Amino acid sequence: MIPALATLALIAGAAATLLVLGTRRSHEKARARIEAEGILAAARAEADALKREGEVAAREGAHEVLAASLEEARARSEEARRVEERLVRRDAGLGRREAQVAEHAKEVDARRGALAEADAKARAVREDATRAEGEWRSDLARAAGETALQVRTSIVESLVEDTKARAASRLRNLDTDEAEALERDARRVMALASERFCGHYLTERLLGVIPIQRPMLERVLGVGESNLRAIEEVANVKLGLLETGEAASAHPTGCAVRLEGLDGIAREVARRTLARLAASEGGDARRIAQAATADLQRETLQLGRRAFGELGIPLAHPEIVELVGKLNWRTSYTQNQWKHALEAGFLAGMFAAELGCDVKLARRGALLHDIGKSLTHELDGSHAVIGADIARRLGEAEVVANAIGSHHGEEPFNTYYALLVTAADAMSGGRPGARRQQDDSFGRRVEDMERIAAGFRGVEQVFAVQGGRELRVYVRDREVNDEGCGFLSSEIAKEISEQLVFPGQIKITVIREMRATEIAS
């Protein structure tokens, strides 16, 4: 019983506790609800206040924007009014201009009509003038016996000839005294140099045919001419035994070997080899030719050094020294070119001494001016151009290279030394006894000279005199006047220089004479 009561008491206590707790919670929820409703009311009041403030601010901003818009609208309205006024004034001005343009258009149309009428009249006048000119030209051509083109050509030719004659006269009379003084000074310098120089004037001829005694013929030719073939291979020349009749007519021995080759040194190697074979009891022709080649190379270098030593100038590049030595086996119209180079060197040095120039520089240019001849059998081209290229490549001064390249006119004369070298070269080659040539080549050159001179207008007769050193040209006095003679001589000299190759110089003399003939009876 007691336990049951206790249990009931516990349950009643728990129920009371739960009732108290539930009542407390209800009070707390009611209080929380009241607080939430207060907060919500405050928030609504604040929101209403903010809304009223925003509406007031919006009204104020709207009023400001509306005022600004109204102000801008008034300004644009005023601008539009002014623009409208300007347009009205412009329309009025355009109306006036349109009226003026219309008036001008009427005037232009009137003038265009007048111009068209005047143009038609002018065209008719030109047609009449052209027709009249054609008739006049036809009548004139029939009366004169020549066409207008022929007359015009004749007048142009006459004017050209007169102009050339006047130009020649002016050139001839320009600074005559000064030119004569310079010519006298040049002749004095050349005469002094010629008198002071004493050189070896003996001329040479390279042997093209070598006579051989009959007892020596077998060991010179070898078995089946094997020695000749060996010499040809080493010396690079062509050797052949002359026919018996031809050899007998040229040489009493009746035996001879013909040498053919452009290289003078190669011909000399072959000649020495044949001479050694003839003098010995036989031997290896190839070995003898190689020994002769080596000996000749040593002699070539010695001759090159000797030339520089005799002129008293410093040695050049070894290749140039060798080229100078090789000139000893080259000839020009039978003149030995090594001796010619030395002679020209001494003459150029004397010219330079008289004129106050560098003697050694003049001698150097003259000594080297023909080194290209040592290679003309190997290279194509003018020996002056070849020599100038070699000199520049091997470090010679430009003054020397220009003197080499210009002594035949392939380069311009850039210094006084080029002129001195050219004068020395011409003087050495043109002196009496320096050079000679075969009769057939001389005859052809004379014929060419006379043919060139006879081709000019007004030339009547041409004669080569003074051994081909002077050309005398006789002209018709009706076609060439006195002033035209000087121009004609210059033109003939220029044409001969361009077309012919000749030693020294050729003097051109133009002769004009008037003959009056009458018969007395």
Side-chain angles (χ1 to χ4, degrees):
M1 186 77 177
I2 295 172
L5 293 172
T7 300
L8 290 172
L10 289 172
I11 291 171
T17 303
L18 288 173
L19 182 61
V20 172
L21 291 173
T23 304
R24 187 177 297 170
R25 288 177 181 173
S26 298
H27 288 300
E28 289 178 356
K29 286 181 180 179
R31 191 167 50 252
R33 188 181 299 111
I34 292 169
E35 291 178 357
E37 290 176 353
I39 293 171
L40 180 59
R44 287 175 178 172
E46 186 177 358
D48 292 338
L50 291 175
K51 182 178 180 181
R52 287 190 296 274
E53 291 178 0
E55 290 176 353
V56 171
R59 289 192 190 97
E60 292 177 355
H63 284 299
E64 292 177 358
V65 171
L66 180 59
S69 298
L70 291 174
E71 184 65 27
E72 184 178 357
R74 284 194 296 270
R76 290 186 177 180
S77 177
E78 182 65 23
E79 180 66 23
R81 185 183 60 79
R82 290 194 296 269
V83 170
E84 185 178 1
E85 292 177 355
R86 288 198 299 269
L87 290 175
V88 171
R89 291 193 298 270
R90 184 176 298 175
D91 289 340
L94 288 176
R96 291 191 299 271
R97 290 185 180 180
E98 287 179 356
Q100 293 175 357
V101 168
E103 293 178 0
H104 286 305
K106 292 179 180 179
E107 294 179 0
V108 169
D109 291 339
R111 291 183 180 179
R112 185 178 292 114
L115 288 175
E117 184 179 356
D119 188 30
K121 292 181 179 179
R123 190 181 302 110
V125 171
R126 283 196 298 269
E127 291 176 356
D128 293 340
T130 303
R131 191 181 306 107
E133 183 180 0
E135 295 176 356
W136 171 75
R137 286 179 179 273
S138 300
D139 295 341
L140 183 61
R142 284 193 300 270
E146 291 181 336
T147 62
L149 180 60
Q150 293 174 342
V151 173
R152 185 183 299 109
T153 303
S154 177
I155 293 174
V156 169
E157 291 179 353
S158 177
L159 290 175
V160 169
E161 293 296 331
D162 291 342
T163 303
K164 289 181 178 179
R166 288 195 298 269
S169 177
R170 291 183 180 180
L171 288 175
R172 187 168 57 252
N173 296 328
L174 183 63
D175 297 332
T176 304
D177 296 337
E178 183 178 357
E180 292 178 354
L182 292 175
E183 184 178 357
R184 287 195 300 270
D185 291 341
R187 290 182 180 276
R188 180 184 61 82
V189 171
M190 296 177 69
L192 289 175
S194 177
E195 293 172 357
R196 290 173 56 190
F197 179 74
C198 180
H200 181 70
Y201 285 175
L202 178 63
T203 60
E204 295 182 355
R205 287 180 64 89
L206 290 177
L207 294 178
V209 178
I210 301 176
I212 299 176
Q213 300 292 332
R214 288 192 179 276
M216 305 174 184
L217 185 61
E218 182 177 355
R219 63 171 178 261
V220 169
L221 299 181
V223 179
E225 298 185 358
S226 59
N227 288 345
L228 298 185
R229 305 291 84 79
I231 297 173
E232 286 179 349
E233 184 177 351
V234 174
N236 193 23
V237 296
K238 186 176 180 181
L239 301 175
L241 184 65
L242 290 177
E243 297 294 337
T244 304
E246 183 180 355
S249 62
H251 302 282
T253 60
C255 300
V257 174
R258 181 178 64 252
L259 277 172
E260 296 181 8
L262 297 176
D263 187 359
I265 292 182
R267 291 197 300 269
E268 181 65 15
V269 169
R271 188 190 66 79
R272 292 190 181 189
T273 303
L274 292 174
R276 292 179 185 181
L277 286 174
S280 64
E281 295 297 330
D284 187 356
R286 184 182 303 276
R287 181 182 56 80
I288 295 175
Q290 291 173 350
T293 302
D295 293 342
L296 206 58
Q297 288 178 349
R298 286 191 295 271
E299 291 182 20
T300 298
L301 292 175
Q302 292 174 359
L303 284 171
R305 297 191 185 97
R306 176 183 166 188
F308 282 91
E310 289 190 8
L311 291 175
I313 55 179
L315 286 175
H317 189 278
E319 185 175 342
I320 293 180
V321 175
E322 183 180 2
L323 292 176
V324 172
K326 285 182 177 181
L327 290 175
N328 187 57
W329 287 276
R330 288 300 303 267
T331 61
S332 177
Y333 298 99
T334 72
Q335 185 182 30
N336 183 287
Q337 292 301 282
W338 184 82
K339 295 174 182 177
H340 164 65
L342 273 178
E343 183 177 346
F346 281 117
L347 292 174
M350 295 174 190
F351 296 162
E354 291 292 332
L355 299 175
C357 300
D358 190 335
V359 175
K360 292 186 176 181
L361 193 59
R363 287 182 173 182
R364 192 177 194 87
L367 176 65
L368 304 183
H369 78 281
D370 273 343
I371 57 174
K373 288 185 177 180
S374 298
L375 296 173
T376 48
H377 63 285
E378 300 175 3
L379 301 175
D380 293 332
S382 168
H383 71 275
V385 176
I386 295 173
D389 292 341
I390 293 174
R392 292 187 175 98
R393 178 172 58 85
L394 298 180
E396 288 293 327
E398 178 60 26
V399 175
V400 176
N402 177 250
I404 297 173
S406 62
H407 78 278
H408 280 314
E410 283 83 1
E411 291 185 10
F413 296 100
N414 295 333
T415 63
Y416 296 116
Y417 297 97
L419 297 170
L420 296 180
V421 170
T422 303
D425 173 52
M427 188 171 178
S428 174
R431 61 173 173 76
R435 298 180 178 183
R436 61 189 178 92
Q437 56 186 333
Q438 296 179 353
D439 293 339
D440 53 351
S441 62
F442 172 77
R444 285 194 300 271
R445 179 162 62 85
V446 170
E447 290 177 359
D448 291 337
M449 290 165 48
E450 294 178 346
R451 173 184 54 80
I452 292 172
F456 284 83
R457 177 175 174 270
V459 175
E460 185 176 8
Q461 291 179 319
V462 181
F463 300 100
V465 298
Q466 302 294 334
R469 297 286 181 176
E470 182 179 355
L471 195 66
R472 294 183 181 177
V473 182
Y474 291 87
V475 298
R476 290 182 284 271
D477 63 300
R478 294 181 178 274
E479 299 183 18
V480 181
N481 55 23
D482 291 339
E483 295 178 347
C485 290
F487 179 78
L488 181 60
S489 62
S490 301
E491 289 295 313
I492 295 175
K494 180 181 178 182
E495 194 71 19
I496 290 177
S497 299
E498 292 178 353
Q499 295 190 23
L500 302 183
V501 177
F502 50 87
Q505 297 176 339
I506 297 176
K507 181 180 179 181
I508 310 299
T509 303
V510 177
I511 302 172
R512 175 182 181 268
E513 61 178 357
M514 186 186 71
R515 297 183 180 182
T517 305
E518 186 62 42
I519 299 176
S521 58

